[in-house]
Amino acid sequence: MWSRNARDVGGLPTRYGVPTRSRSLVRTDALDTVHAELVALDAGLVLDLRSDWELKESHPLDGTPSYRRIPWIDPEAERLREPEAEPRLLDVYRNSLTRNAAHIARIFAAIADAPADRPVVVHCKAGKDRTGLTVAVLLELAGVPRAEIAADYAISEIHLGTQDGPEFSRTLPETILGSLEHLDDLGGVRAYLSWLGLSPAQIHRLATRLVPVDVPAIVFDFDGLLMDTETTMVESWQAEWAYHGLELDLDGFWPGHGGDITEERYAVLAAAVGAGFDRTESHARRVAHRNRLHAELDFRPGIRDWIATARELGLRVAIASSSPRTWVLPHLERVGAVGLFDQIVTGDEVTTHKPDPAIYELALGRLGVPWAIAVEDTAHGVAAAQAAGMYAVAIPNPYVSAAAVGAADLVLGSADELLLTELLLSATPKGSTLVTE
């Protein structure tokens, strides 16, 4: 590298199973000349975190399209600082993360908006404090273990030759680890970046600068997943049994997966009621009850946020439901959601249903993508998605246990348990076949 404290932060392990990208983020101390290595790097952004008072001469890249200076220290906030209240370097770091929020927000926004296919170079004077905090936040977002973040931070004092100096000149692991713990107190790194004012898309771009993501689409099941029509179905049957003075035992009556077995259910009810059972009246009464429940039914928690994020990030969004179009579309129309989806593929368009992958293969073909994330609520749906080479996320409906969908790549209790942007970092293709019409 071109200076004593310069290094690429690529190659570090992450919790997503892939190392951080090389030639994506480089940290360094102040640049005094434009070295051949820097020219060869072809950085899309060289971000200088120094303050006005530190500049003795112009930056060697000043005036070039890639150079930008955003001081980490906010001079207005600095006037309110009480140095005696910050006896340790850790205290300075912790308070700086909030005291300088206005400037830090601009720093991370600049990195998020930098060309994704070209490196970002970040530096201050020594490349250890302001640069160290900036890089630590980015590595935390990328899922790098904190021990690795601390090790990268600690290298600076070796490079600078300050390991035998006073604490404020050193880069002790406990300093950066304590700073990351402070982020925990603020709700975590994503909450901190959101508090700074960064959008979900910007936060996602910060993460994907270091962690490769190539998810092209997300495909949702409908019944029990997008909308909890499984519960309304169960409640309508329970109400109908109660109308006859009977209590419905769901064990054996409810299979825990899709499929039209309505007549078998009426046969069970008819046998329980005995003489005088009128199937036509029973059906009308049950459907009317269910329609009343549907009047207030919207998407399950967190689903709309996932769809909004997917569209903001440019992902294709689809539905692959075993139910017929005449069932799915009216529900979507009722909640004004038809336009949220690029494709709506329904069971009346295929000859075989889940767990056969036909409907997912058709959805992938219409989307024009080789694979996608599939979101399902049953074991049959999970099996169909995985057979189509998709990454299967299971969010079981209230009548399916987590164990029943345990074969999924990820099992959640609700979509609001995990941001879609974080899910995208861990999803990988299983190998699929593209079917085109």
Side-chain angles (χ1 to χ4, degrees):
M1 279 293 182
W2 54 81
S3 62
R4 57 181 178 165
N5 198 25
R7 57 192 178 278
D8 189 327
V9 298
L12 299 176
T14 73
R15 66 171 174 268
Y16 303 111
V18 294
T20 53
R21 297 178 192 264
S22 296
R23 293 180 59 83
S24 180
L25 179 65
V26 174
R27 57 179 298 172
T28 184
D29 47 342
L31 302 172
D32 51 5
T33 60
V34 180
H35 296 269
E37 287 182 83
L38 178 59
V39 174
L41 190 63
D42 188 29
L45 173 66
V46 176
L47 188 56
D48 184 349
L49 307 182
R50 294 177 298 169
S51 298
D52 295 349
W53 57 268
E54 296 177 87
L55 303 181
K56 307 303 181 186
E57 56 187 26
S58 296
H59 194 283
L61 291 175
D62 195 12
T64 65
S66 64
Y67 174 71
R68 187 171 178 188
R69 186 169 68 88
I70 305 176
W72 175 280
I73 297 173
D74 180 348
E76 294 299 321
E78 186 71 6
R79 293 192 182 96
L80 303 177
R81 181 187 169 207
E82 300 178 4
E84 63 277 4
E86 299 173 345
R88 303 170 300 167
L89 186 57
L90 171 58
D91 300 319
V92 177
Y93 279 18
R94 288 165 62 99
N95 292 341
S96 180
L97 285 166
T98 49
R99 178 171 58 237
N100 297 301
H103 283 219
I104 295 171
R106 292 170 54 207
I107 289 166
F108 285 115
I111 298 172
D113 298 337
D117 58 347
R118 296 170 66 190
V120 166
V121 177
V122 180
H123 79 83
C124 49
K125 181 179 180 181
K128 76 177 188 72
D129 296 321
R130 292 160 289 185
T131 299
L133 276 171
T134 301
V135 171
V137 170
L138 292 172
L139 294 179
E140 173 81 359
L141 180 64
V144 174
R146 289 186 177 179
E148 296 284 347
I149 298 174
D152 173 72
Y153 171 78
I155 293 172
S156 287
E157 67 176 38
I158 306 299
H159 289 176
L160 299 169
T162 59
Q163 63 268 37
D164 297 321
E167 183 211 348
F168 274 69
S169 68
R170 301 193 62 187
T171 51
L172 298 169
E174 53 263 35
T175 301
I176 204 66
L177 291 172
S179 301
L180 295 174
E181 290 169 2
H182 183 55
L183 287 185
D184 292 339
D185 296 337
L186 299 175
V189 63
R190 289 177 179 273
Y192 172 67
L193 292 168
S194 295
W195 174 75
L196 289 177
L198 272 72
S199 70
Q202 286 177 308
I203 295 171
H204 185 65
R205 290 198 296 271
L206 288 175
T208 56
R209 170 159 293 280
L210 289 169
V211 180
V213 169
D214 62 353
V215 179
I218 183 167
V219 183
F220 296 92
D221 177 47
F222 182 75
D223 287 297
L225 188 283
L226 273 183
M227 287 187 173
D228 189 10
T229 53
E230 297 298 316
T231 293
T232 61
M233 176 74 84
V234 169
E235 291 182 357
S236 72
W237 280 105
Q238 289 174 326
E240 183 58 19
W241 278 65
Y243 175 84
H244 295 283
L246 301 170
E247 183 176 352
L248 173 60
D249 181 1
L250 291 178
D251 187 26
F253 187 85
W254 204 255
H257 59 76
D260 186 1
I261 57 171
T262 301
E263 291 311 316
E264 289 90 333
R265 290 175 181 147
Y266 277 119
V268 173
L269 176 58
V273 173
F277 177 74
D278 189 317
R279 193 268 188 209
T280 301
E281 289 184 1
S282 178
H283 178 70
R285 188 167 46 244
R286 186 185 67 81
V287 169
H289 180 76
R290 192 179 186 191
N291 287 340
R292 288 192 293 272
L293 296 175
H294 286 164
E296 302 298 324
L297 193 65
D298 202 339
F299 287 178
R300 288 180 67 187
I303 294 292
R304 282 189 181 270
D305 288 339
W306 275 21
I307 294 172
T309 299
R311 301 203 68 84
E312 184 178 7
L313 297 178
L315 274 66
R316 305 274 283 165
V317 184
I319 289 174
S321 172
S322 293
S323 296
R325 183 168 293 266
T326 53
W327 168 260
V328 174
L329 280 183
H331 281 293
L332 297 176
E333 290 168 350
R334 177 174 50 78
V335 297
V338 175
L340 298 179
F341 301 94
D342 298 295
Q343 293 290 336
I344 300 171
V345 185
T346 52
D348 45 355
E349 300 181 82
V350 293
T351 57
T352 54
H353 292 167
K354 303 169 186 177
D356 188 275
I359 196 163
Y360 275 118
E361 291 171 344
L362 180 57
L364 292 173
R366 288 186 177 171
L367 290 171
V369 300
W371 75 286
I373 293 174
V375 191
E376 275 285 354
D377 68 314
T378 67
H380 279 187
V382 167
Q386 291 178 325
M390 302 170 77
Y391 183 94
V393 176
I395 306 176
N397 69 63
Y399 299 95
V400 172
S401 69
V405 292
D409 298 287
L410 176 67
V411 179
L412 299 172
S414 172
D416 56 13
E417 288 182 4
L418 185 69
L419 293 172
L420 180 66
T421 48
E422 188 155 4
L423 169 60
L424 295 176
L425 296 174
S426 58
T428 54
K430 305 299 176 184
S432 59
T433 301
L434 179 63
V435 178
T436 56
E437 294 183 295

